[in-house]
Amino acid sequence: MVIPVAGRSDSVRIGNLHCRGESLLTERMLMDQTSLKNALQWNERYAAQSVEQLTELLRIPSVSAQSSHNADTRRAAEYVLNQLKAAGLKAELFETPGHPIVYGEWLGAPGAPTVMIYGHYDVQPPDPLDQWETPPFEPTVRNGHIFARGATDDKGQMYTHIRSVTAWLKTAGQLPVNVKFVIEGEEEVGSNHLEIFLRDHRDRCRNDIAVVSDTSQYGPGLPAITYGLRGIVACEIKLTGPRQDLHSGIFGGSIANPANALARIVAELHCESGRVQIPSFYDDVKDLTTEERAEWAQLPFNQQQFLAGIGAGDVWGEAGYTTLERRWARPTCDINGMLSGYTGEGPKTIIPSWAMAKITCRLVPSQDANKIVASLRTFVEARVRPGLQLEFKEYHGCPATVCDLGSPYMAAAKRAIEKGFGKAPVLIREGGSIPVVGTFKEILGVDTLLLGWGQNTDNLHSPNERFSLEDYQRGIRASTCLWYELAAK
Ligand code: BES
Ligand code: MN
Ligand code: MN
């Protein structure tokens, strides 16, 4: 006898089963199917509540980079903690020298896979404030989107998993898998204390597969699974010259101008065809395979639409690579900000006392973050003009990651997304970084399923960040199905 299982292309053969363990497993799957339906219905019934709860979380300005917001950041952690407890999880806060980590678990499915769900409750600074149509921490719904800092990155996306777990526990009273939540408050500043937490609590954090919703769909109506991320190193350089700003007529030409000197260094980072000029920068870069390039060439990509989405006039980058290749598989070196001298209204003739630049390099598989930052430091040190002092600060770094495409977990995630979004996901890589993915692999030996519900055009890290309320509900649905599919894998 063959019983088709909803949403699966294959089926379960009851008649051929000899082993009692297997038949028990099958019974459980059939039971879980009914439970899944009930959980999905619960989500629909309480959709309004899911928006209210997200709105409350979005009201909290948990800006991890700014210590003036430390109390708010803690409040966001406590909000998440309480929601996990309300869902029926055993949950607690773990203190770190930085922001607290929320940990919660439900382990009532012995024998089933254990899933680690990671997300972050911290957000980027909302600046520039004057460009927000409504204030960043007063969530507002317009055109089917909720607007607020953190709407998509990552409060909204992360919250879909809290809702789905709540739905299962409120209806069936159980989940088809074991879950362990790790929701941190330092992702936007490099996750510097998370690694220590995972090392210290390695046994408690053991799992079979990690799930993270902190990336994007490939485009509107085109869900994706992200199988690779770039890594990053972040640093800051400051050149200091005279004790204070000086008259540029009296002293100009006789001492090194820190702003001129910094501009020269920054200009030398790239050649005209877009290649980074730091020695040995490309030494360990793994080239894209012909197959991967061919697959990416099959993805729908409309350059006009891409440019319109970000309001840019044209593309530019390393010669010899397509836009997707440049974004997903080539390393970069970018200035994130520069500051020096007088930038107010009208002219002012000075030699600035100092000049600084914030720099990040995006890394690709097999580049080593420590090696890259050391090369960058050497590159800058060799170019410091006489009389100037260099201060070189390292902020954080993490390697690029690529995960296994052939795992049964990957197949389960595909089925869950297809059910939640009504469309099969495409496989993509992304240019952004999520430090924990490499740490999970290194410390716990597990791959991460990067299941993004947002859009790259949702203005993350920009003014007017938003999250589509439809994508929010689809994400909740896909997540609800995911626990079922991971158990059925
Ligand atoms: N959620 C983003 C990463 C992301 C967004 C990846 C969209 C792919 C698509 C994450 O919060 C982020 O912004 N990460 C930082 C890295 C961190 C070390 C500061 C980044 O990529 O700049
Ligand atoms: Mn994020
Ligand atoms: Mn972010």
Side-chain angles (χ1 to χ4, degrees), residues 120 124 152-154 157 187-191 214-216 226 229-230 232 362 396 398 430-435 456 460-461:
H120 61 94
Q124 287 270 317
T152 184
D153 186 10
D154 178 40
Q157 297 208 63
E187 197 276 346
E188 299 292 7
V189 289
S191 298
D214 194 25
T215 50
S216 300
T226 299
L229 291 171
R230 286 195 290 193
I232 190 171
R362 294 288 168 171
H396 57 77
C398 76
E430 259 295 357
S433 314
I434 304 175
N456 278 337
L460 37 167
H461 296 205

Side-chain angles (χ1 to χ4, degrees), residues 161-178:
H161 299 302
I162 297 188
R163 289 302 291 180
S164 69
V165 164
T166 307
W168 274 93
L169 292 175
K170 292 288 176 218
T171 50
Q174 57 180 355
L175 277 153
V177 292
N178 303 293

Side-chain angles (χ1 to χ4, degrees), residues 87-338:
L89 276 71
K90 219 176 90 198
E92 55 187 301
L93 276 195
F94 283 89
E95 298 300 332
T96 76
H99 303 298
I101 293 167
V102 187
Y103 178 84
E105 63 183 26
W106 184 89
L107 305 176
T114 298
V115 187
M116 170 144 286
I117 302 152
Y118 164 89
H120 61 94
Y121 64 79
D122 66 320
V123 300
Q124 287 270 317
D127 310 77
L129 279 173
D130 60 332
Q131 287 183 31
W132 284 78
E133 280 175 36
T134 47
F137 299 107
E138 291 174 27
T140 312
V141 175
R142 285 194 300 277
N143 306 326
H145 288 77
I146 186 158
F147 286 80
R149 170 58 84 232
T152 184
D153 186 10
D154 178 40
K155 288 173 173 172
Q157 297 208 63
M158 175 269 288
Y159 213 75
T160 60
H161 299 302
I162 297 188
R163 289 302 291 180
S164 69
V165 164
T166 307
W168 274 93
L169 292 175
K170 292 288 176 218
T171 50
Q174 57 180 355
L175 277 153
V177 292
N178 303 293
V179 294
K180 298 179 174 181
F181 278 84
V182 170
I183 310 294
E184 72 154 323
E186 296 188 289
E187 197 276 346
E188 299 292 7
V189 289
S191 298
N192 283 341
H193 297 108
L194 188 64
E195 187 174 334
I196 304 166
F197 169 81
L198 291 174
R199 275 189 206 286
D200 286 354
H201 300 90
R202 184 189 300 223
D203 279 331
R204 169 169 232 164
C205 290
R206 284 238 176 276
N207 66 83
D208 299 296
I209 185 75
V211 169
V212 175
S213 291
D214 194 25
T215 50
S216 300
Q217 298 180 55
Y218 182 62
L222 259 180
I225 296 181
T226 299
Y227 66 92
L229 291 171
R230 286 195 290 193
I232 190 171
V233 290
C235 58
E236 184 174 312
I237 57 182
K238 184 173 183 185
L239 290 175
T240 305
R243 189 183 320 117
Q244 57 197 49
D245 294 354
L246 299 175
H247 191 293
S248 65
I250 299 174
F251 298 104
S254 68
I255 57 165
N257 176 325
N260 296 16
L262 183 69
R264 175 62 181 252
I265 293 174
V266 163
E268 284 187 20
L269 285 170
H270 298 87
C271 70
E272 250 334 285
S273 60
R275 294 268 300 183
V276 176
Q277 299 298 294
I278 303 168
S280 74
F281 187 77
Y282 293 96
D283 280 7
D284 301 326
V285 168
K286 231 177 138 176
D287 280 332
L288 269 167
T289 62
T290 326
E291 293 77 42
E292 209 169 11
R293 290 186 104 165
E295 267 163 43
W296 294 1
Q298 297 297 306
L299 290 169
F301 182 79
N302 178 320
Q303 182 162 313
Q304 245 42 53
Q305 242 173 336
F306 169 72
L307 291 171
I310 50 178
D314 205 350
V315 297
W316 189 84
E318 190 184 358
Y321 296 92
T322 67
T323 296
L324 284 185
E325 289 166 358
R326 287 171 178 168
R327 287 169 52 202
W328 296 353
R330 297 301 297 167
T332 64
C333 181
D334 274 302
I335 307 301
N336 311 119
M338 289 171 81

Side-chain angles (χ1 to χ4, degrees), residues 341-421:
Y342 179 71
T343 55
E345 194 182 352
K348 185 172 188 237
T349 48
I350 55 158
I351 291 174
S353 163
W354 55 268
M356 73 90 136
K358 291 184 187 274
I359 303 180
T360 46
C361 296
R362 294 288 168 171
L363 312 180
V364 300
S366 317
Q367 283 182 301
D368 179 283
N370 291 320
K371 252 165 93 174
I372 293 295
V373 85
S375 314
L376 174 60
R377 187 196 279 266
T378 309
F379 180 91
V380 175
E381 278 169 353
R383 284 163 178 76
V384 178
R385 289 181 175 156
L388 298 183
Q389 262 191 341
L390 170 69
E391 192 189 340
F392 190 103
K393 268 191 215 164
E394 291 176 24
Y395 283 121
H396 57 77
C398 76
T401 54
V402 172
C403 78
D404 178 11
L405 283 171
S407 81
Y409 300 116
M410 190 60 91
K414 282 184 194 166
R415 294 193 299 271
I417 290 178
E418 185 155 8
K419 284 186 185 171
F421 285 75

Side-chain angles (χ1 to χ4, degrees), residues 1-2 12-19 22-23:
M1 181 174 65
V2 174
V12 181
R13 280 174 193 283
I14 301 268
N16 291 350
L17 291 181
H18 307 296
C19 146
E22 266 182 64
S23 91

